[in-house]
Structures are given as structure tokens and as C-alpha cells.
Amino acid sequence: MIKLGAAETKATYDAIVVGSGISGGWAAMELCKKGLKVLLLERGRNVEHVKDYNTALLNPWDFDLRGNTTVQYKAENPIQSQGTDAGNAHFFVNDKEHPYVQQKPFHWFRGYQVGGRSLTWGRQCYRLSDLDFEANLKEGVAVDWPIRYKDIDPWYSYVERFIGVSGKKENLSQLPDGEYIEPFGLNCIETHLDESIRKNSHDRLLTIARVANLTRGWDGRGPCMARNLCSRGCPFGGYFSSNSATIPAAMATGNLTLRPYSVVSEILFDDQKQKAKGVRIIDTITKEHFEYYAKIVFVNASTIATAGILLNSKSHRFPNGFGNDSGELGHNLMDHHSAAGAQGAHEGFKDSYYKGRRPCGFLIPRFRNLQPNSGLDFTRGYNIQGHGERSEWMDTRDAGGFGADYKKSITHPGHWTVWMAGWGECLPYHDNMISLNDTQKDSWGLPLINIDFSFRENETKMMKDISQSSAEMLNAAGFTNVQTFNYGKPGGDTVHEMGTARMGHDSKTSVLNAHNQIHAAKNVFVTDGSCMTSSASQNPSLTYMALTARACDFAVEELKKGNI
Amino acid sequence: MNRKRAIQSLLAFAAIGVSSVSVYEWTSSGHTVKLTDLPQKKQLLAELAETIIPRTDTPGAKDAHVEEFIIKMIRESDQKSQHNFLAGLSSLEKYTADKYEHSFIECTPQQKIAVLKHFEDKATYSIAILNKINNKFLGTAFFNKLKDLTVEGYCTSQLGATQGMAYNYIPVKFEACLPLQQNQKAWATK
């Protein structure tokens, strides 16, 4: 049921979930399926699957400015407008209404609505491996992950089986295989590049992206119609989102209460019981404050917002923010970099084309620093993501000339090209952090969030290697006009923020334990990106979902045992 | 017949008279087209766009009403590009009037091509990096903006996408590798 206004305030639930994005949706579904009465809080509006995908079926010419946003939109949304178009802008916040403080340039893309950014995510689903879970310990960087691959492996499978992931097994230790449905195909230039890469090196290969796009019907959703318009919301349910899958499943149990327009201002601490007793929210429409109570609280507001809520939750026990005995809350912010790479054209395969718009590209799994002492000037690694295609009007229109010949050239398929860039690990630096602004507040009286983040020497050196290795692979495969690039994008641009409430063994140096419980308040679980102890280089959403499902299972067991 | 022709010449003379006055005004007062004048330049923009993407065996820019898209998009441009475009349009009108003593709309196909070639040369440095610097500091040059918008307007229009190119609204399935068909057109959307 959907709850609005002042009805049943001060109500008590078994569990409260803060945030309805990719991890919050999972928490709500798992807890509901296990029989708990759950209140799911979302600061934005409701977005109902299919019904609220207003742009999903529009043709380019159905938009007043085709795909373009207006000059007023761009002026009001200097950050979001860099990643949005007329088809999906309504799934991103308004920068003017939701300001934050960039102590250094940082692009914070947000989707304040039911489903959050699960509506607009890139849908890549990659498992982390022990190469990632052991890296901090082996290198003496930050703190050790309190879990290893064996702890999360079954939960990866559990999540993959539910969401439906298309992909291909490759039997790599650094990128463990999961449970996949039929992969999308590689086109002929990608197959050619793959063959060249496998021929020229023993430790590299190219594989189709593993994505939550359904190549066949799955649990009443899909299949994907190959329109590649995912970020508008998919009326065919062709990809996984909270809206299409977890929230409807949670609703179907009869145990879910969804309250949109509810921004959580703080987690309430019970001094007597030494645990959380609930949350305080502000109705974003009426600006009234309400309290809700529960036995357990899952905080899934997304990395930066989650840390903001916890920092704002001050009590006698936690004067510096909820669960912040270590002083690490808000620190160790990470985001992958994805600015460096290379592109090239190929003269061959002129007699081949493709049909349909594949909603993903290819992946070249990590091949750097798989062994210690590899002799490189940076630590950790990157995976390369890219796509091959034939040039079309967007690519060929800059050619000189005009008239009938020019028209012919832009309306017929041009050269094959490949674009590829490295998605690279970012180390956890203590002083890459978020904090609450002392003076500036938003429309709801909540302190603005300061973001102080920069990539450092290790990331910069890695980017150089990405460009070089990408260019080498393209050159070796006979590409021409190979050009390296580094777009020099600031943090936030990959939209993989993580690390602000990290997991660890020790309550003195971390916020969460191995089960995503706050060390000093065991009925509060944080299972969004903020829990990440290191970033690895894999797109992280699958890991958030797996950790969430695992933590929900643990939480319910602990409840039954009376431990929390 | 004679009477009709006489009236036509009279009208033509009057038209030349008006445009001569206009030429005088441009040179003496630095007249430029204002944003609010753009709707009146619809026919001119349509002719310019048609010169870039003419009707061939498939529809051209005019068929796709590209001029309406251009006007909307200039309104939605940053000020520098807006200024460049309007100044460029004025300059093109003056150049045409000076050179051919009539408007662009009245130009022969060869004259239209010659005029646009002149503005293309003005807009493009032979070194790519200079173009980038030029765009950054001076805003997009008139011809480049005109061409960009013409192509975008055409390729995202229903006629352009479905007849000028190949458009697949709901592909249903992705087929990774197919033999190219004879006269295969490019997909209009990615």
C-alpha cells in the first residue's frame, strides 16, 4: 500500500528501509518475503512501472526539440544536464532544488523518485573476486574487507537468478562467472577485435557485456526489445529495476508500505536499549516532521546521502554522527574513473551490418596486476568497456561538404569504428570525503552536503596505461586513425560513488561489520555503496544487491534469535 | 499577357528596390538579424537547409521542415552561438545581395552552392585543433551550426529517419551480424 500525509504517523513496523533504489528495493523485497512488515521510505515521487514511463515509446520527432533539453533546463541543471536528454531528464533531480557544495569539482547525479537510479543505471553485472577482496590487506591500503568471495558467491547467484543477467562464462579467476541467460551477440568488428586480442596475448580477451537486459522472458518480464532506450524506463520490462521487479514483488506479499515524498532527516537512537528505535522524516510536500519506529532499519539512500543522514543523526551516544565511533563516516569516498581510452576505425567488413540496438557493449576483463610485482607504476587495475559500430549520421556529419553526395554519405553506413575506455579502480583515500555544511541548508532545513574528492597519482598513472593498452590492441587488430583520449572528467561522472561507511573487522577503523551492521548499533544495516571497503574496478550494483540480500537473511535470523 | 508581364516586372523592380534599400541599411548601420526576426527567415533557412540536404530519390530538408527545427534550436542555443548564427545569417544575406543583386532564395542552384561554399571555407580551418579552439572561444561558426542543425533536424525527423535512412521503432531482437543489403541505408538511431 502507498501511504501519504499524516495518516498513521508514529506507526511501528518490523523494518524500515530508507531509499527505494537498487539496494533499497532489494532490502524491501527480501524483508517482506520473510514476513516482516516493512515501511519503504523514498524522498521523491512515486514512479509506477510502465504507467509512469511517459517518454518510453516516443520517436525522436515526437519531442519538441528532438532529444535536446531546453536552455532553461541546462541553466538550472548544470550537473544533471551533462548526463541527461529529453527522454530521461525527468528521472534526474533538479540541481537548483537540490544543491550541494563542491569543494572540488564533483558531479553528483541523482534520481529522487521511487526506483531511484535503478531506472537509469548502466545494467552491467560483474562479480568481484578475491583479487579485489584481498587487495587492501595484501597492499596495506586502508582496511581489510571483512568478507571474502566465498561469503558473497551464493548471494551473487541468488541475485542473478532473480534479476536475469545475460552474459557469457569465461572462466576467469579475476572475474568469476555467474548465472547467465543467453548473451547478446558481438558484431563482426567486435569479434574481429576479440580474435586479435586472444591471438596476441595469453591473459586478455573480449567478451559481451554481462547485463541485466533480458534476452528472453524472465519472471514475467521482458524480453528486451533491443530499442536501447532503457533510461526512459522500459514498458516491456526488458531490464531489471526496483520499479519493474523488487517493489512489485514486495507489494505482492502484502507486507509493504511505500511512503514517497519522505526525506529521512535522522535515525533515532534509543539510549536505554543502545540501538536505533526508528527514523524521523520530513514530508517533502507539507514539510511536516513525522517519526516511524521499527525493530531494524536498513539505510539505502545511496552512498553520499546515506552518509549525510548518518552524520546528521546526532545523539548523546553518537555526538559525531550515527555509528561514527571510528571517525570514518563520510570518508573514503570513491568513484571509478572512466575517462581514458582509445578509438579507431577499420576499413574491413564493409559488407556487414547489424539490426536492432543492443543495449550494451563489450568488456575486456581486467588484465593488469593479476599477479603481484607486475612491474607497473600503479596498483590495482581496470576493465575496458566499449562498443563497435558502423558510423552513422551522428559520427559522419562533420565531414566536409554539403549537397547530394554529402547526403548520401551521412545516410549510408560508414566505416566500422570501435570506442573503448577503461573503468578503473579508485583507491580509498581518507580525505576524499563528504561532510555536512555548517551554514547552508536546503529547502527542508537539512544541511547541504560538502563533497571533497579528487583522483590521485595512482588513478592518473592507470589512465595513461588504459589509453596506451587500448591503442595497442586496436593497432594490433589493424585499426586505422587510432586516437587515445582522456576526457579529464571529475569524480562522480561514472556514477559509482561508494565507501563512505566502510565495512571492516574493527569498530575503531570502520563503520560496518561483515554483515553490514553498524558496529555499535546492531539493528541498523547499511547495504548501499557506502559499505564498500575498496572499489575494485567492476560496476558495483550487483555487489550492493548481493550484500543486501545477504544482510537481510542475517538480520531476520538475528531477529528470530532475539539478538537485535 | 503583356499586361501580366508588365506587372510582374514592376513587382520585381519594386522588390529589387526594397532589397537595395536593405543593402544600404546593412552597410551603413551594421544591421543584424534579431532573434525575433527568425520566423521571418523561415524561407531563407529552408533554402539553405535544402542546399545542404537536397531532395534526391528521398525527401530533402524542406520536405522534413528542417527550418522549423533550426529556429527552435537557435532559440535554445547559448548566446555566443546565437549571436554567431544571426550575424552569419545577416552576412550571408548581404554577401548574396552584393554578389548577385538578389536574395539567396532567388539564387540559381549553382549560385546557392557557391554562396554556401564561401561560408563553409570561412568557417573551417584546415587544422582540426584550430576548429576546436575557435568553437570554444568564439562559439560555433555560422556555417557549422547551420549544417549541424540541418543534419540533426533532418535525421531526427519522421521523413528523414524513415525514408532518408532506416528506422526501426521496435526491433524486437538484436541481430549482431547481417550481410549488407543493396542500397542499405544507415540506421537513424543508435
Side-chain angles (χ1 to χ4, degrees), chain A residues 56-62 64-72 74 184-189 223-229 236 350-359 389-395 397-404 406-408 410-414 416, chain B residues 51-60 64-65 69 72-73 75-78 112-114 116-117 120 143 147-149 151-159 161-162 164-180 183-190:
Chain A
L57 290 167
L58 298 183
N59 294 290
W61 54 88
D62 295 328
D64 188 38
L65 300 173
R66 310 289 160 84
N68 300 288
T69 53
T70 65
V71 76
Q72 189 195 344
K74 288 188 191 107
F184 286 98
L186 293 174
N187 62 40
C188 46
I189 199 68
C224 167
M225 291 284 125
R227 304 184 318 136
N228 195 25
L229 295 173
F236 305 97
K350 286 266 166 65
D351 54 354
S352 296
Y353 208 14
Y354 38 78
K355 197 174 172 193
R357 298 180 290 278
R358 193 182 59 193
E389 62 184 13
R390 289 195 75 158
S391 300
E392 286 150 3
W393 66 268
M394 306 80 150
D395 319 296
R397 64 171 158 179
D398 286 343
F402 52 87
Y406 173 77
K407 179 188 177 189
K408 196 175 175 192
I410 61 164
T411 53
H412 287 77
W416 283 96
Chain B
T51 312
I52 294 170
I53 301 187
R55 182 192 288 175
T56 52
D57 55 337
T58 62
H65 299 293
F69 175 72
K72 277 183 192 166
M73 287 302 289
R75 289 210 188 104
E76 295 291 342
S77 292
D78 63 87
K112 284 177 181 165
I113 289 167
L116 269 195
K117 185 88 188 80
E120 181 180 33
F143 175 82
K147 184 168 153 182
D148 268 4
L149 291 178
V151 173
E152 187 179 355
Y154 179 76
C155 294
T156 58
S157 71
Q158 185 164 10
L159 277 181
T162 61
M165 282 169 296
Y167 181 67
N168 200 344
Y169 180 50
I170 300 179
V172 179
K173 199 169 173 285
F174 175 70
E175 293 173 78
C177 225
L178 293 172
L180 202 66
N183 191 29
Q184 167 82 52
K185 295 196 179 95
W187 298 116
T189 57
K190 284 187 189 293

Side-chain angles (χ1 to χ4, degrees), chain A residues 463-483:
Chain A
M463 288 185 216
K464 217 173 150 186
D465 186 68
I466 291 168
S467 290
Q468 281 171 1
S469 66
S470 300
E472 277 164 23
M473 285 184 271
L474 291 174
N475 280 319
F479 282 75
T480 57
N481 195 19
V482 174
Q483 291 175 325

Side-chain angles (χ1 to χ4, degrees), chain B residues 95-173:
Chain B
Y95 175 85
T96 313
D98 285 352
K99 193 152 181 178
Y100 302 112
E101 297 190 336
H102 55 234
S103 72
F104 186 84
I105 297 163
E106 295 161 302
C107 282
T108 65
Q110 288 74 19
Q111 288 171 340
K112 284 177 181 165
I113 289 167
V115 172
L116 269 195
K117 185 88 188 80
H118 170 79
F119 281 87
E120 181 180 33
D121 291 344
K122 262 177 68 166
T124 325
Y125 291 94
S126 53
I127 305 164
I129 188 76
L130 283 179
N131 284 318
K132 270 191 187 161
I133 295 168
N134 197 32
N135 282 346
K136 189 161 181 192
F137 290 100
L138 302 174
T140 314
F142 162 68
F143 175 82
N144 295 340
K145 189 84 180 172
L146 174 71
K147 184 168 153 182
D148 268 4
L149 291 178
T150 300
V151 173
E152 187 179 355
Y154 179 76
C155 294
T156 58
S157 71
Q158 185 164 10
L159 277 181
T162 61
Q163 293 181 37
M165 282 169 296
Y167 181 67
N168 200 344
Y169 180 50
I170 300 179
V172 179
K173 199 169 173 285

Side-chain angles (χ1 to χ4, degrees), chain A residues 185-197 206 344-350 352-354 358 362 386-391 415-420 473-474 477-480, chain B residues 176-177:
Chain A
L186 293 174
N187 62 40
C188 46
I189 199 68
E190 294 166 341
T191 301
H192 166 74
L193 180 59
D194 178 34
E195 285 165 2
S196 165
I197 289 170
L206 180 154
H346 200 284
E347 297 299 324
F349 309 99
K350 286 266 166 65
S352 296
Y353 208 14
Y354 38 78
R358 193 182 59 193
F362 62 71
H387 58 269
E389 62 184 13
R390 289 195 75 158
S391 300
H415 292 300
W416 283 96
T417 59
V418 162
W419 175 98
M420 58 197 211
M473 285 184 271
L474 291 174
F479 282 75
T480 57
Chain B
C177 225

Side-chain angles (χ1 to χ4, degrees), chain A residues 72-211:
Chain A
Q72 189 195 344
Y73 172 81
K74 288 188 191 107
E76 278 186 16
N77 298 279
I79 305 296
Q80 313 300 312
S81 64
Q82 295 183 40
T84 56
D85 59 39
N88 63 21
H90 55 296
F91 289 146
F92 290 82
V93 298
N94 181 297
D95 284 326
K96 206 170 137 189
E97 288 169 21
H98 299 287
Y100 63 99
V101 180
Q102 298 180 61
Q103 293 178 312
K104 295 191 188 87
F106 188 93
H107 290 168
W108 189 16
F109 292 98
R110 290 158 290 167
Y112 290 166
Q113 67 261 326
V114 167
R117 295 183 295 191
S118 77
L119 283 165
T120 58
W121 70 309
R123 308 168 306 284
Q124 310 285 313
C125 291
Y126 303 112
R127 294 181 171 207
L128 270 59
S129 75
D130 274 334
L131 182 68
D132 307 303
F133 289 117
E134 290 171 356
N136 279 5
L137 180 67
K138 282 185 175 164
E139 295 170 17
V141 168
V143 298
D144 183 23
W145 275 92
I147 59 167
R148 289 294 181 265
Y149 182 67
K150 65 173 171 39
D151 299 310
I152 194 173
D153 176 14
W155 296 103
Y156 275 137
S157 295
Y158 181 77
V159 167
E160 287 158 349
R161 283 197 294 265
F162 180 79
I163 68 178
V165 180
S166 60
K168 187 165 171 270
K169 296 190 178 195
E170 296 288 357
N171 196 27
L172 300 171
S173 67
Q174 75 273 31
L175 189 73
D177 291 330
E179 320 246 339
Y180 304 129
I181 58 173
E182 300 76 10
F184 286 98
L186 293 174
N187 62 40
C188 46
I189 199 68
E190 294 166 341
T191 301
H192 166 74
L193 180 59
D194 178 34
E195 285 165 2
S196 165
I197 289 170
R198 288 182 199 247
K199 195 180 76 191
N200 289 310
S201 68
H202 67 282
D203 58 357
R204 296 186 198 182
L205 58 86
L206 180 154
T207 188
I208 187 71
R210 298 167 175 179
V211 284

